[in-house]
Amino acid sequence: MLKDLVAWLLSTHLSQTIQEVEWIVPALQTVHILFIAVVLSSVAMIILRVLGLIGRAWSISEMAARFLPWVWSALIVLVITGALLLTGEPKRSLLNPVFQAKMAMLAAMIGVTAAFHRSVRHHPARWNQAAKSPPSARLIGGLCLLIWVCIIVAGRWIAYVTVP
Amino acid sequence: MSILEICGWLDNSPLAVAIREWNGLFATIETFHVIALVQVAGSIFLIDLRLMGLASRKYPVAQMLREILPYTWVGFAVAAVSGSLMFVSHATQYYGNFSFRMKMLLLLTAGVNMLTFHLLTYRGVANWTLHPPRAAKIAGAVSVVLWIAIVTFGRWIGYTMLPF
């Protein structure tokens, strides 16, 4: 089924254009990289706050309110540039196990971020009451930061793993 | 010794040979570079947007710099070390690469911008820590433009080097 999608994408005019005009892929990748910087730093600010390492003058819900909009907006740009990159090189991405792993981790992180967003909005006291975040929150936060980094690593390694 | 001669000497060094020939070593070094660079760019954008008064307006500038800059510096160190290792492995080629030269020039310019800000404008931060003066806004704006250009030329290096 994926191979059918790849074949269809390759047949589109958009795909042809992206492949033929030399600067489009590197330009898309550059925008992609810049917005990865936005997501990573916004996510890091929130997680570092949950870990109690920065911004203790503000509550966790205040930090979340400040940085989550950036996470979501940047993710939208990343999905758009990612979709265009994928359209230009569908075989290199869709059939690549590293790309698939990246998508799986990304889906998980989007889910966690959405759950966190909902929790912080509807139950701020849960996050703001204690002087220190509970160990479980800190552990999950740390793990999430690690997974976000793994997503970036996977993104870079798409180029290094060839699709048979 | 001319710069080209130094590059040639570096190219032939055991370190350069190792990085070129050990399977996956260059890719691993590059991966550290990518993670470090998105972290540096992201944290710098955070600070620049604050200096321009566009985000985190309630976060006192002095406190923000104190909390975030340590992470920026660690990231920059990793980026510098990984970048140097990559440079050493193909010194002559990188030295002759236009995008590489532009990136180095822009890094230098960004350094001068940051130094100027820290030595002059930042001196009076106690007076304006919530409302940055125009000099701070300009420093922030210049920084954003420079770092976007640095990332862009950095990406273009990969596209303009001969395959290895």
Side-chain angles (χ1 to χ4, degrees), chain A residues 153 157, chain B residues 26-38 75 78-79 82:
Chain A
V153 173
W157 280 74
Chain B
F26 184 91
T28 305
I29 296 169
E30 191 194 27
T31 303
F32 277 97
H33 196 74
V34 166
I35 297 168
L37 83 91
V38 293
V78 174
S82 54

Side-chain angles (χ1 to χ4, degrees), chain A residues 87-132:
Chain A
T87 304
E89 300 173 303
K91 188 175 177 214
R92 180 184 181 274
S93 17
L94 289 172
L95 302 180
N96 191 317
V98 176
F99 174 80
Q100 292 162 0
K102 181 183 170 185
M103 289 303 106
M105 288 189 285
L106 184 60
M109 286 302 97
I110 288 176
V112 169
T113 308
F116 169 75
H117 195 160
R118 209 173 302 125
S119 173
V120 154
R121 191 198 283 157
H122 296 302
H123 307 280
R126 248 187 234 167
W127 293 91
N128 300 334
Q129 221 144 53
K132 263 175 121 184

Side-chain angles (χ1 to χ4, degrees), chain B residues 109-152:
Chain B
T109 312
V112 168
N113 182 48
M114 281 149 87
L115 208 66
T116 311
F117 171 74
H118 272 277
L119 293 178
L120 296 174
T121 317
Y122 193 62
R123 277 282 171 79
V125 70
N127 301 327
W128 54 260
T129 195
L130 276 174
H131 303 286
R134 183 187 286 149
K137 293 191 174 151
I138 292 172
V142 168
S143 175
V144 171
V145 171
L146 286 174
W147 282 98
I148 289 175
I150 288 167
V151 170
T152 306

Side-chain angles (χ1 to χ4, degrees), chain B residues 95-114:
Chain B
Y95 176 67
N97 184 295
F98 173 75
S99 296
F100 176 80
R101 290 183 175 200
M102 282 304 297
K103 184 180 167 185
M104 292 303 112
L105 188 65
L106 289 165
L107 274 171
L108 208 71
T109 312
V112 168
N113 182 48
M114 281 149 87

Side-chain angles (χ1 to χ4, degrees), chain A residues 41 45 53-55 57-58 63 66-67 70, chain B residues 42-72 118 122 125 128-130 132:
Chain A
S41 45
M45 289 299 278
L53 291 170
I54 58 154
W58 289 271
M63 282 298 246
R66 188 176 297 150
F67 288 105
W70 289 93
Chain B
S43 58
I44 287 180
F45 289 151
L46 274 171
I47 292 170
D48 290 340
L49 285 172
R50 175 65 191 94
L51 289 176
M52 291 192 282
L54 293 172
S56 295
R57 273 176 292 233
K58 284 186 259 176
Y59 212 151
V61 171
Q63 188 178 339
M64 195 181 194
L65 260 57
R66 208 183 318 126
E67 294 196 304
I68 294 178
L69 281 179
Y71 294 97
T72 312
H118 272 277
Y122 193 62
V125 70
W128 54 260
T129 195
L130 276 174

Side-chain angles (χ1 to χ4, degrees), chain A residues 15-142:
Chain A
S15 180
Q16 301 294 323
T17 310
I18 294 172
Q19 288 170 61
E20 281 162 22
V21 182
E22 255 187 82
W23 55 262
I24 292 184
V25 167
L28 284 170
Q29 288 179 338
T30 302
V31 174
H32 204 74
I33 292 167
L34 288 166
F35 280 86
I36 288 171
V38 174
V39 170
L40 184 68
S41 45
S42 305
V43 157
M45 289 299 278
I46 296 171
I47 293 175
L48 288 175
R49 177 58 191 88
V50 169
L51 293 174
L53 291 170
I54 58 154
R56 268 176 304 209
W58 289 271
S59 64
I60 289 175
S61 53
E62 278 176 314
M63 282 298 246
R66 188 176 297 150
F67 288 105
L68 279 172
W70 289 93
V71 175
W72 294 125
S73 317
L75 277 173
I76 290 172
V77 176
L78 287 170
V79 166
I80 294 171
T81 48
L84 288 169
L85 285 165
L86 195 157
T87 304
E89 300 173 303
K91 188 175 177 214
R92 180 184 181 274
S93 17
L94 289 172
L95 302 180
N96 191 317
V98 176
F99 174 80
Q100 292 162 0
K102 181 183 170 185
M103 289 303 106
M105 288 189 285
L106 184 60
M109 286 302 97
I110 288 176
V112 169
T113 308
F116 169 75
H117 195 160
R118 209 173 302 125
S119 173
V120 154
R121 191 198 283 157
H122 296 302
H123 307 280
R126 248 187 234 167
W127 293 91
N128 300 334
Q129 221 144 53
K132 263 175 121 184
S133 304
S136 55
R138 283 182 273 148
L139 184 65
I140 293 173

